[in-house]
Amino acid sequence: MNPKKVNAPSLKLVITTLLLIFLVITSLALIKDRLYTTTRYLRTGLRQQTECTTPDGDKSHLIRNLEPLISKEPLEIWEGLGKEEKTIKYLPSMIDLNRKKGRFIYIDLGAREYDSSIGSWFVKQYPKQNKEFEIYAVEADKAFHKQYESRKGITLLPFAAWIKNETVVFGSKPIVVKDKVWRMRPFGRIEGQKAQDDELAAVTKVEAFDFVDWLERMVGPDDFVVVKMDVEGTEIVLIDELVRRGTICLIDELFMECHFDRYVKCCSGERINRFNYSYNQCYSLFDDLRNMGCVVHQWW
């Protein structure tokens, strides 16, 4: 009596199946490792694609020497913070700009009038080490455009900084405290379609441009780029997109106002409800950006 033979095709099928399972498990392990090493989710929800570095390596030594972030929400004194703050540790005070072989560029997002920040702060106070900077004023409000016509060395971009090239609603939500409403003229916050249907909101339509795409096309790793961002709440979306595309690392130094629902004197000292963002969330945003190698300062 002949011994029972093993079915050859069945054995091949088993071996092939085991090989495929091994390959799938190996591939999943590699994908998981790549995800954890190249993308980590920060507590503010930012998707970090890469660490921002310098030619000498990471920026941790520079980040450690920056002024401490203000961890507790200021409730009384706002004047004197931000551009007037004497404790700001500017990046050019820690590095030699001669090591940069490209252009020197300053971009003011939410420039408003010339003396709002360009003339009163960047021109007069920012330490430039005798470098001549290209200056770009990004301002969608037509009320401020004319004064830039006679300013030499400044390029006006008459658009709202956004993540798409499109027409957007530009305006401001009212401040509502109990039964009182403080209406405000459209001054810079992109509210979206819902603002048009709100009889309380002040809105107008303006053209917006994809700032992230523009930045990618305009500057390179050899350029020294300074950005001031005061865009009335839109900074959360802009920062998320800058991080997602990895473009955040093209910015050498960032001065950003993070807008949150804060106490204001105009409304009986109660907290406003315009941004749906807290100070703690803003603090975490700044902290996360520094942890990923961004030289960022709180702006008020």
Side-chain angles (χ1 to χ4, degrees), residues 218-230:
M218 280 294 297
V219 308
D222 291 332
D223 298 323
F224 183 79
V225 181
V226 181
V227 173
K228 186 226 81 180
M229 186 182 294
D230 184 359

Side-chain angles (χ1 to χ4, degrees), residues 162-180:
W162 190 227
I163 59 174
K164 296 179 182 178
N165 297 319
E166 62 180 357
T167 301
V168 297
V169 174
F170 197 67
S172 61
K173 291 171 62 177
I175 296 176
V176 181
V177 178
K178 296 180 180 178
D179 60 341
K180 294 184 179 180

Side-chain angles (χ1 to χ4, degrees), residues 139-168:
E139 178 53 60
D141 195 331
K142 295 179 180 179
F144 302 107
H145 291 175
K146 190 173 182 180
Q147 61 182 278
Y148 287 102
E149 294 176 0
S150 60
R151 295 288 179 181
K152 294 182 180 180
I154 300 178
T155 300
L156 172 67
L157 300 179
F159 311 105
W162 190 227
I163 59 174
K164 296 179 182 178
N165 297 319
E166 62 180 357
T167 301
V168 297

Side-chain angles (χ1 to χ4, degrees), residues 48-63:
Q48 179 179 339
Q49 304 295 330
T50 185
E51 296 285 346
C52 296
T53 61
T54 65
D56 298 326
D58 66 59
K59 291 183 178 178
S60 58
H61 62 293
L62 297 175
I63 302 297

